[in-house]
Amino acid sequence: MTPRPGYADLTPQQVLDALDAVGLRGDGRILQLNSYENRVYQLFLEDGSAVVAKFYRPGRWSDAQILEEHAFALELAAAEVPVVPPLLLAGAEAGVTLAGTPPTLALRGAHRWSVSARCAGREPELDDPETLRRIGRFIGRLHAVGRRRPFEHRHRLDARTDGRRALALLLEGGFVPADQRPAWQASCEQALAAVEAAFDAAQPLATLRLHGDCHPGNVLWRDGAPNVVDLDDAMQGPAVQDLWMLVSGDRSTIARQLDLLLAGYEEFSEFDDRERALIEPLRTLRMVRHAAWLAERWIDPSFPINFPHFGSSAYWSQQTTQLREQLEAMG
């Protein structure tokens, strides 16, 4: 997706001015944080505190989708689920709101942005059984809130639509080299067909409001407990979507890790055991969608710098190999 004019030119002074417009006066110290999708900055304020400001990628989400994410985060925080919600903003610039929604999304020129408290932490140690149980409890609490009502505006996970859209984007955009295209396309089509079959077999499938991108980097371990700092990919989908990225290895290892997660999870939420069969299909779907995400963002100058191997024959050969491995894993 092409960034709109001015996105790449967002300057530190513009960021400081944006915060000043809602009463958050910076002391001049600003640090750009690692984020490919958005522009995220840590800023120190005159009162000695620090906040994180996120400037959303233009055109990715609508105002309604962002505000629905914010409302979910605030609902989780009110239920004492350890998340980092957006701050309520004051001032004329905090003018992007929906009826009944707190003022958490600010608009300044072409940029939409939000602010949250800084939350430091480390990735969890997933080889520790008790850590997995605690993360399971945390996700179970999150899902207990997520089941209260559905999202109306956020993305709804649809294996068939999401996978076929990614495949079409990669092929029609010419991102797969000619020497790799036949093998990759055949493997990808077979793998997506297996993904679709697995989801069809799991129907009817209950869905709920999810974190959506619950990998270890998004689950910060702080004060002996897990915390979530990023709901940017919040979506409607099956519960297992927030569990499968926390397990890996051979089938017996994955089963053992999932059992530990569910031992904590089911203290707060029910889990449909049929969703176990969706772990490898979801892993496959993420693989294809990740390649499409890189292709869609390739015009952003930061992507060729950070993903220099994307588009090479070696990259697509490796993708073909991994898709074939996923076909076996789904078999």
Side-chain angles (χ1 to χ4, degrees):
M1 182 179 295
T2 305
R4 293 178 183 174
Y7 184 83
D9 297 330
L10 188 63
T11 65
Q13 189 59 53
Q14 287 176 312
V15 174
L16 290 169
D17 290 345
L19 264 74
D20 188 61
V22 294
L24 297 171
R25 304 186 66 86
D27 66 6
R29 290 179 293 167
I30 180 171
L31 175 66
Q32 184 168 349
L33 302 180
N34 183 31
S35 174
Y36 299 121
E37 193 59 73
N38 305 296
R39 296 295 182 267
V40 183
Y41 303 90
Q42 179 176 291
L43 299 102
F44 293 87
L45 305 182
E46 289 182 346
D47 64 5
S49 64
V51 295
V52 174
K54 177 164 68 175
F55 288 75
Y56 293 88
R57 177 174 290 275
R60 184 180 183 223
W61 300 125
S62 67
D63 293 344
Q65 288 173 317
I66 296 173
L67 288 167
E68 193 169 47
E69 171 213 327
H70 289 184
F72 184 38
L74 291 168
E75 186 181 355
L76 289 167
E80 299 184 344
V81 179
V83 302
V84 182
L87 300 178
L88 303 185
L89 303 176
E93 296 293 340
V96 181
T97 61
L98 290 179
T101 304
T104 54
L105 181 62
L107 175 65
R108 186 175 180 83
H111 300 295
R112 297 171 302 164
W113 51 281
S114 64
V115 184
S116 61
R118 180 182 60 172
C119 179
R122 58 177 175 81
E123 286 194 14
E125 297 177 4
L126 297 181
D127 56 349
D128 176 33
E130 183 56 29
T131 295
L132 286 174
R133 291 189 192 95
R134 289 189 181 186
I135 293 175
R137 293 188 195 104
F138 166 69
I139 297 174
R141 293 176 62 200
L142 189 155
H143 284 188
V145 176
R147 294 180 199 277
R148 292 175 180 174
R149 64 185 66 85
F151 278 136
E152 296 181 11
H153 305 288
R154 299 294 300 184
H155 176 72
R156 182 176 290 271
L157 192 152
D158 184 304
R160 179 171 279 99
T161 300
D162 293 347
R164 296 296 164 176
R165 178 187 177 277
L167 174 63
L169 189 152
L170 291 165
L171 293 177
E172 294 170 7
F175 292 97
V176 188
D179 64 320
Q180 297 297 322
R181 176 167 174 150
W184 177 83
Q185 182 175 352
S187 297
C188 189
E189 289 176 345
Q190 291 173 30
L192 289 178
V195 170
E196 293 166 9
F199 271 81
D200 289 344
Q203 298 301 324
L205 194 61
T207 67
L208 64 147
R209 292 178 296 171
L210 303 166
H211 179 280
D213 192 27
C214 204
H215 60 75
N218 276 338
V219 181
L220 290 184
W221 202 258
R222 181 179 181 180
D223 300 327
N227 295 256
V228 160
V229 295
D230 187 5
L231 285 167
D232 199 55
D233 288 292
M235 66 174 70
Q236 187 81 14
V240 72
Q241 169 64 17
D242 276 351
L243 297 168
W244 75 264
M245 280 181 267
L246 300 168
V247 300
S248 61
D250 59 29
R251 289 189 180 186
S252 62
T253 301
I254 288 174
R256 184 168 62 253
Q257 293 170 337
L258 186 61
D259 285 344
L260 289 167
L261 284 169
L262 291 176
Y265 181 92
E266 292 187 313
E267 293 180 22
F268 298 93
S269 292
E270 293 183 1
F271 182 78
D272 184 345
D273 226 43
R274 296 177 306 146
E275 293 185 24
R276 288 175 178 264
L278 299 180
I279 290 177
E280 293 307 327
L282 283 167
R283 200 185 309 278
T284 305
L285 184 62
R286 182 177 175 85
M287 184 186 306
V288 180
R289 294 189 71 198
H290 182 265
W293 173 70
L294 292 176
E296 201 168 22
R297 300 290 186 259
W298 202 243
I299 196 168
D300 183 328
S302 67
F303 276 70
I305 293 172
N306 287 289
F307 302 95
H309 300 298
F310 177 73
S312 67
S313 291
Y315 172 88
W316 290 103
S317 176
Q318 182 184 51
Q319 291 292 300
T320 300
T321 299
Q322 291 176 345
L323 286 169
R324 289 170 177 167
E325 291 172 349
Q326 284 304 112
L327 272 167
E328 292 184 11
M330 291 185 289

